[in-house]
Amino acid sequence: MQLAASTPLSIIQPFGEDLQQADIDSSRSVQNMDDFEIRALLDEIRRADQQYRDSLYNGNPLHMSFYTQKIKRNDAANERLLHKLVARIGWPSINRFGEEHAYTAWLVVWHHRNDLQILLKYLPFIEASYRQRDINEALFKQIVTRIELLESIK
């Protein structure tokens, strides 16, 4: 790639991708999805969630700003989809969807760990899942501890 002398390195976008778009369509309906389709959606959410995080740490440092912006877009889109899923089925449980899929839901919330409102929105669902022994205790405690920290500094 030839760069003009005035091109800031922080705006180089790999692969000609659109910085403004998330890699997952958050406008889709989950209303009529069966469990198989929900698992597939959670797989897609996980790919969108992790794709640029891996690149941020292991990729070309010239693309760091691009990766950061894509992560923000994907995190927002993933949260909108999780909101729809939780409204329809409750928290994606280990018993119903498997550990990896339940962890994907937790990751979506965790990647908003600086947003107290989002953490509080999902806490009742995560706590109910914890009380049913359907979420890892350490993951539950991470959310609770983070909420306590954010509440102490507001």
Side-chain angles (χ1 to χ4, degrees):
M1 170 189 291
Q2 261 325 77
L3 295 177
S6 63
T7 303
L9 294 180
S10 64
I11 64 164
I12 299 171
Q13 296 180 16
F15 320 116
E17 294 191 39
D18 184 356
L19 185 61
Q20 301 301 314
Q21 296 294 318
D23 294 321
I24 189 166
D25 179 9
S26 65
S27 69
R28 77 176 77 177
S29 174
V30 301
Q31 203 55 42
N32 296 317
M33 286 186 174
D34 60 23
D35 284 4
F36 179 80
E37 292 168 313
I38 291 171
R39 280 186 199 89
L41 177 59
L42 288 165
D43 287 339
E44 190 176 341
I45 288 171
R46 180 72 169 262
R47 278 190 299 279
D49 180 81
Q50 293 298 301
Q51 178 178 0
Y52 297 104
R53 281 184 169 80
D54 293 344
S55 298
L56 186 62
Y57 300 109
N58 303 317
N60 185 336
L62 296 177
H63 303 306
M64 188 171 297
S65 178
F66 172 78
Y67 297 142
T68 301
Q69 289 302 311
K70 290 299 277 190
I71 288 168
K72 287 178 185 177
R73 300 271 187 234
N74 287 341
D75 284 353
N78 285 343
E79 192 279 323
R80 286 189 294 275
L81 286 166
L82 181 62
H83 176 82
K84 291 177 188 181
L85 281 174
V86 170
R88 177 160 174 266
I89 63 164
W91 188 256
S93 68
I94 293 172
N95 287 333
R96 185 170 174 187
F97 295 102
E99 191 168 354
E100 183 177 329
H101 294 106
Y103 182 63
T104 295
W106 181 88
L107 273 178
V108 170
V109 175
W110 185 246
H111 288 147
H112 288 87
R113 64 185 163 270
N114 293 322
D115 187 330
L116 182 59
Q117 187 175 3
I118 288 179
L119 294 177
L120 290 172
K121 175 169 82 171
Y122 291 104
L123 180 61
F125 300 100
I126 294 170
E127 186 171 12
S129 189
Y130 170 70
R131 292 193 188 290
Q132 295 170 358
R133 300 184 189 278
D134 205 22
I135 191 172
N136 179 295
E137 181 178 8
L139 299 179
F140 169 69
K141 287 184 176 182
Q142 267 186 280
I143 297 291
V144 170
T145 301
R146 188 63 182 188
I147 290 170
E148 290 169 352
L149 173 69
L150 292 175
E151 287 180 331
S152 74
I153 60 175
K154 67 176 191 181

